Amino acid sequence: MRFRHPDGTVVHLAYCTNVHPAETLDGVLAQLRDHCEPVRRRLGRDRLGIGLWLARDAARALDTDPVALRTLRAELDRRGLEVVTLNGFPYQGFGAEEVKYRVYKPDWADFERLAHTLALARILAVLLPDDTTEGSISTLPLAWRTQGGDDRVEACRGALRTLAERLDALEDLTGRSIRVGLEPEPGCVVETTGDAIAPLTAIGHDRIGICVDTCHLATSFEDPHTALDALTRAGVPVVKSQLSAALHAGHPDRPDVREALAAFAESRFLHQTRARTATGLHGTDDLDEALRGDTLPATTPWRAHFHVPLHAAPTAPLTSTLPVLKAALARLVGTPHPLTRHLEVETYTWQALPAELRPRDRGRLADGIAAELTLARDLLTDLGLKELP
């Protein structure tokens, strides 16, 4: 979906396909047929943006076989789909029964992360619509914190400098400008937008910026306006933003709240949980850890890294951080000039929801994703953007 900002800029809205994880090219093509096109049809649009997630094997097949890449591009066109952004954070196995800490491997100190991201950039340069010259890729925020010694962090920065040089060369070759954004996430070396400023200014290249995920922003209790103003002052580009909402518990000392939270503690993904007090941010790596012990203070609200559907907040006594998303979006695109042109709804946890909230079939999932995109569209038009055909 495309929108015209009042300053004339075209802003793209997509939804991320990591909600339908596929490891192979055949799986990606089936995903377009079985999921993405049905969502487009529900929205009544001739064209729908998708943020592709390409696992290692699918990316290698596309990067090494020009015929396969042309086939994917033709299939996108045939189904009324377009791609301006890729999710390059998960490397493989995102559909596994247990993902947890595996999603942070390989990190940016490992050559394979650089090689994979360059492959994604080459692929995206071909997949971009004919009338579009700019693409974006979101990626791991350097490494998980336990892998973040000084030498390893410097190796990560070196790899990103090499990435920037290669992206310059790619634009010289193709005329397509691809930028990569680190996606701050709780528990990582770059946990917050503030943590991103030093490494990104040290790299000092406008092709390497930040991907602002509004669930992660909220989980870390960051104020959107403060965070985005700091990035602007530091000259850190917002390459893209993932529109997502975290799980919010206002009174974690109450038994009914704990019982409700326990329904969201599951075995597939990490759900880093945070609480903020006058002494700072307190956290656990997972929601069940927070519920088991006394690591987090129970007298102040908790937020958990669980991407809940944008249009359907959990029932009381829980809620979502949709207000944080709205505030961030107002600062991202509701000002005289947008801070980013690429927006991506990223609720990948539909099948990790409590059983009674999960979509029972493909049709229900498509309905839910279409409802999320409708909400996002309405937020954009309320901010003065005009939806384009």
Side-chain angles (χ1 to χ4, degrees):
M1 301 166 77
R2 298 185 182 194
F3 298 81
R4 180 79 65 187
H5 188 275
D7 77 346
T9 301
V10 174
V11 174
H12 294 262
L13 172 66
Y15 90 89
C16 187
T17 64
N18 62 356
V19 66
H20 326 293
E23 297 288 322
T24 65
L25 178 55
D26 285 344
V28 171
L29 295 173
Q31 177 187 96
L32 304 183
R33 178 193 67 223
D34 296 338
H35 298 288
C36 302
E37 185 176 9
V39 171
R40 178 183 65 76
R41 292 186 182 279
R42 279 164 171 76
L43 291 166
R45 305 295 301 165
D46 293 332
R47 174 174 53 189
L48 175 66
I50 58 171
L52 271 181
W53 173 61
L54 297 172
R56 178 197 64 181
D57 290 348
R60 286 181 179 175
L62 292 165
D63 189 42
T64 58
D65 185 349
V67 174
L69 187 51
R70 288 196 297 270
T71 297
L72 176 58
R73 174 60 192 275
E75 191 71 1
L76 289 165
D77 293 342
R78 186 167 78 88
R79 298 193 181 280
L81 306 168
E82 67 176 14
V83 176
V84 302
T85 189
L86 300 179
N87 186 333
F89 193 138
Y91 177 68
Q92 62 182 346
F94 203 61
E97 290 186 6
E98 182 178 329
V99 178
K100 298 289 184 181
Y101 295 95
R102 298 175 187 176
V103 77
Y104 306 106
K105 292 290 190 176
D107 62 33
W108 272 101
D110 187 327
F111 175 77
E112 185 53 41
R113 175 62 66 172
L114 173 61
H116 178 63
T117 306
L118 286 169
L120 294 179
R122 291 188 292 267
I123 292 164
L124 183 55
V126 174
L127 295 183
L128 286 176
D130 292 340
D131 62 352
T132 304
T133 59
E134 296 184 357
S136 62
I137 301 171
S138 48
T139 191
L140 177 77
L142 300 188
W144 184 252
R145 68 178 185 278
T146 57
Q147 302 297 319
D150 289 346
D151 290 346
R152 197 164 183 85
V153 169
E154 185 51 44
C156 293
R157 293 177 182 175
L160 288 168
R161 292 187 187 99
T162 300
L163 174 68
E165 294 169 359
R166 301 286 181 83
L167 294 177
D168 282 343
L170 182 64
E171 183 175 16
D172 290 342
L173 181 65
T174 66
R176 304 294 180 91
S177 174
I178 308 298
R179 297 192 299 168
V180 173
L182 302 185
E183 182 185 333
E185 177 166 314
C188 291
V189 171
V190 175
E191 175 159 339
T192 67
T193 57
D195 294 338
I197 290 175
L200 290 175
T201 52
I203 293 166
H205 200 299
D206 62 5
R207 290 200 193 277
I208 312 298
I210 194 169
C211 167
V212 175
D213 183 301
T214 58
C215 170
H216 303 173
L217 191 79
T219 300
S220 294
F221 287 87
E222 291 193 79
D223 173 71
H225 293 282
T226 301
L228 292 168
D229 285 349
L231 293 173
T232 300
R233 287 194 301 271
V236 174
V238 181
V239 170
K240 66 186 277 191
S241 180
Q242 290 173 326
L243 307 183
S244 53
L247 191 63
H248 180 93
H251 300 280
D253 56 326
R254 287 172 22 191
D256 62 325
V257 174
R258 294 213 168 209
E259 182 180 358
L261 281 171
F264 286 84
E266 52 84 39
S267 60
R268 186 171 173 188
F269 300 112
L270 276 187
H271 301 295
Q272 301 94 313
T273 305
R274 298 290 184 266
R276 184 179 61 185
T277 69
T279 61
L281 204 62
H282 306 261
T284 62
D285 283 358
D286 217 341
L287 179 55
D288 58 355
E289 181 186 349
L291 291 168
R292 279 198 312 267
D294 57 0
T295 303
L296 297 186
T299 55
T300 190
W302 291 3
R303 289 177 178 173
H305 172 217
F306 195 119
H307 290 222
V308 296
L310 302 187
H311 68 294
T315 56
L318 304 178
T319 187
S320 82
T321 60
L322 184 62
V324 176
L325 183 160
K326 292 179 178 178
L329 196 59
R331 183 67 182 87
L332 287 165
V333 300
T335 51
H337 302 287
L339 295 182
T340 188
R341 294 182 289 277
H342 293 173
L343 304 173
E344 178 183 66
V345 171
E346 197 217 9
T347 305
Y348 60 84
T349 43
W350 281 93
Q351 298 303 334
L353 290 167
E356 67 275 12
L357 301 178
R358 294 174 199 164
R360 293 192 294 272
D361 52 41
R362 289 176 184 170
R364 299 291 179 88
L365 178 57
D367 290 342
I369 294 170
E372 289 193 292
L373 287 166
T374 297
L375 182 148
R377 178 189 65 195
D378 292 345
L379 292 177
L380 291 172
T381 56
D382 288 347
L383 289 170
L385 282 73
K386 181 180 179 181
E387 189 175 5
L388 298 174

